[in-house]
Amino acid sequence: MRVAMIGTGYVGLVSGACFADFGHVVTCIDKDASKIQRLKAGEIPIFEPGLDDLVAVNVREGRLFFDTEAATAVAQADAVFIAVGTPSRRGDGYADLSYVYAAAEEIAGYLDGFTVVVTKSTVPVGTGDEIEAIIKRVRPDAQFAVVSNPEFLREGAAINDFKRPDRVVVGTDDPRAKDVMNELYRPLFLNETPILFTARRTSELIKYAANAFLALKITFINEIADLCEAVGADVQQVSRGIGLDGRIGSKFLHAGPGYGGSCFPKDTLALVRTAVDAGAPLRLVEATVASNDARKSRMADKVAKALGCEPGGDLTGKTIGLLGLTFKPNTDDMRDAPALAIVPALQAMGATVKAFDPEGMHEAEKMLTGVDFRVGPYEAADGADAVVIVTEWDRFRALDLDRLKTSMRSPVLVDLRNVYRPEDMRAKGFTYVSIGRA
């Protein structure tokens, strides 16, 4: 089949490359000429394990193309995917749908024959209705169906998630559109992947509900971690104890500095706004958003306490080494990363911050000021009064602790990801502080 993918961000590029690897002919389209030029030259603008090889193979075999112009690709397409950004709107938290609606208007002008217009972007309930109205207004004669097909890709594991998904959700009542979507995802039939067909509005809500529930699980275990610290319990054992219950499950029950990334923060906020407007407020999700926002800033107070200071105290003359800046490992994504709250809070207390991240420093440099970026973990720890593990990259899981301790001014390690065991760190002579453990 022929596919046009509008947007070459995280979702569009991964989805386009994977569809091409299924055997479809895909053209990824973006208004950013420099990005398209880089992609044509073989440069991948995001870090996602395996994506560079996947793109290179499918470009070489003539199934994956990149362009700044949509006309030809849309006219020839069986399906046109909208995969543009839907960031939180500044000031009110609603999803900014301006890019989605602009894409719909442009697509409408190029449609030729029956075409399925697929919303891959994460959008609030009812967005598909508006896309349909836009296309009908621009092209009353167009033959098309608007379908919701939300993505469930985890950064760092996106290719596997696309090719071996838990499920594929498709929102449409149009039989012709169902046939097209079945054909697009036919390679997944070998894996017996469940394909769930629903009404379009139901599909749009499934994406938001899934992300909100996962965010809620993270926030729940983070609050349990606070309780563990107060009463002398171990959050990791609590997590394991409840996660073995099949009704609960073990995933997303790892205590830490709070969730971040491109999805959970903006999607939970957009869902809250949608629910309030619909007269059905989601109090649990509202509490999740508030708790997570507060948690990120409190992590700096945890560092201050480890150094013998009161929350918000004076850290003038202290140097803090940060290991990890991205919101999770195996990505260069800095969007809503806990580090974006932790670093300014430490600097506001007077601390000097040195930092290292294996992939995220080029993005962090755009968002953080006054940070001394270093080339490795030991360089970030050099002369530090405390080292803080913010992101659990694999290369931080087996540090040479003797070398780390020798390079530091004082052996204080604040482990916000519970990478190490407290007894091991004490044996090495560290003052060790973690999340939800004595």
Side-chain angles (χ1 to χ4, degrees):
M1 303 195 80
R2 302 193 76 89
V3 174
M5 187 70 63
I6 309 298
T8 60
Y10 188 86
V11 172
L13 187 55
V14 171
S15 299
C18 287
F19 273 133
D21 211 48
F22 283 170
H24 304 304
V25 178
V26 181
T27 302
C28 291
I29 300 149
D30 202 293
K31 295 291 187 184
D32 187 338
S34 63
K35 182 187 285 189
I36 293 298
Q37 199 62 39
R38 289 172 60 194
L39 286 166
K40 286 183 175 180
E43 297 178 32
I44 306 301
I46 59 173
F47 176 74
E48 175 63 33
L51 184 58
D52 49 353
D53 290 337
L54 191 70
V55 168
V57 166
N58 285 283
V59 167
R60 185 170 64 247
E61 296 187 2
R63 291 190 299 267
L64 183 60
F65 302 89
F66 302 101
D67 208 332
T68 55
E69 298 298 327
T72 301
V74 170
Q76 295 176 349
D78 299 289
V80 180
F81 283 78
I82 297 176
V84 296
T86 55
S88 290
R89 200 164 65 192
R90 191 176 299 240
D92 60 16
Y94 286 92
D96 182 353
L97 299 176
S98 57
Y99 301 110
V100 172
Y101 294 152
E105 189 158 345
E106 182 178 13
I107 289 166
Y110 303 136
L111 294 177
D112 185 6
F114 178 74
T115 309
V116 179
V117 178
V118 188
T119 308
K120 202 71 173 166
S121 303
T122 299
V123 296
V125 175
T127 302
D129 300 350
E130 183 62 26
I131 292 172
E132 185 174 300
I134 289 171
I135 296 175
K136 285 181 177 178
R137 173 174 55 79
V138 177
R139 281 284 304 280
D141 62 321
Q143 301 177 54
F144 70 99
V146 176
V147 170
S148 168
N149 177 217
E151 55 85 17
F152 300 99
L153 307 178
R154 296 169 299 160
E155 295 189 38
I159 294 171
N160 185 71
D161 285 349
F162 194 98
K163 292 187 172 186
R164 297 168 184 83
D166 296 324
R167 78 291 199 197
V168 173
V169 176
V170 179
T172 183
D173 294 320
D174 189 303
R176 296 175 300 174
K178 286 183 179 180
D179 289 343
V180 171
M181 297 304 290
N182 269 321
E183 185 62 22
L184 280 171
Y185 285 107
R186 186 169 54 83
L188 296 181
F189 293 174
L190 290 173
N191 300 334
E192 297 184 348
T193 299
I195 298 185
L196 176 63
F197 283 95
T198 73
R200 190 165 61 204
R201 284 184 166 226
T202 300
S203 173
E204 290 169 339
L205 187 55
I206 285 171
K207 168 65 175 181
Y208 275 109
N211 278 356
F213 190 79
L214 295 174
L216 191 151
K217 285 187 75 174
I218 293 171
T219 302
F220 174 80
I221 202 63
N222 282 340
E223 293 196 344
I224 290 293
D226 292 342
L227 179 59
C228 285
E229 291 178 9
V231 302
D234 187 322
V235 72
Q236 288 185 310
Q237 293 181 22
V238 172
S239 177
R240 179 167 171 77
I242 65 176
L244 289 170
D245 187 326
R247 298 167 300 175
I248 297 173
S250 61
K251 293 182 178 180
F252 287 81
L253 286 179
H254 303 288
Y259 61 76
S262 62
C263 294
F264 288 2
K266 75 177 182 67
D267 291 354
T268 49
L269 199 53
L271 183 59
V272 165
R273 297 292 184 262
T274 297
V276 169
D277 288 349
L282 299 173
R283 299 305 185 200
L284 285 175
V285 183
E286 290 174 5
T288 295
V289 171
S291 177
N292 189 68
D293 287 346
R295 183 172 191 79
K296 294 177 185 177
S297 296
R298 287 205 310 273
M299 294 300 102
D301 290 334
K302 202 172 187 70
V303 177
K305 186 177 178 181
L307 289 171
C309 297
E310 293 296 317
D314 186 7
L315 294 181
T316 301
K318 302 292 187 182
T319 298
I320 311 298
L322 260 59
L323 304 186
L325 295 166
T326 54
F327 85 97
K328 64 181 285 189
N330 296 322
T331 181
D332 60 354
D333 198 340
M334 285 292 301
R335 285 174 287 184
D336 280 294
L340 296 179
I342 295 170
V343 169
L346 290 171
Q347 291 172 328
M349 287 186 256
T352 297
V353 176
K354 300 191 294 184
F356 168 73
D357 188 280
E359 294 292 341
M361 289 197 292
H362 61 292
E363 292 297 322
E365 287 173 343
K366 304 172 188 175
M367 300 180 178
L368 295 170
T369 59
V371 176
D372 182 2
F373 293 102
R374 294 302 183 102
V375 297
Y378 303 105
E379 289 77 7
D382 185 32
D385 295 279
V387 165
V388 185
I389 298 178
V390 181
T391 313
E392 67 277 31
W393 286 90
D394 283 348
R395 65 184 299 178
F396 302 152
R397 292 179 179 274
L399 293 168
D400 182 337
L401 296 176
D402 291 327
R403 178 182 176 187
L404 190 74
K405 182 181 174 183
T406 300
S407 66
M408 297 173 66
R409 186 181 300 165
S410 59
V412 177
L413 185 79
V414 181
D415 185 355
L416 300 183
R417 298 292 183 172
N418 291 349
V419 173
Y420 291 95
R421 293 182 295 191
E423 59 270 24
D424 293 344
M425 300 306 292
R426 285 196 297 270
K428 286 288 186 179
F430 280 89
T431 298
Y432 179 73
V433 177
S434 57
I435 300 287
R437 301 185 296 177

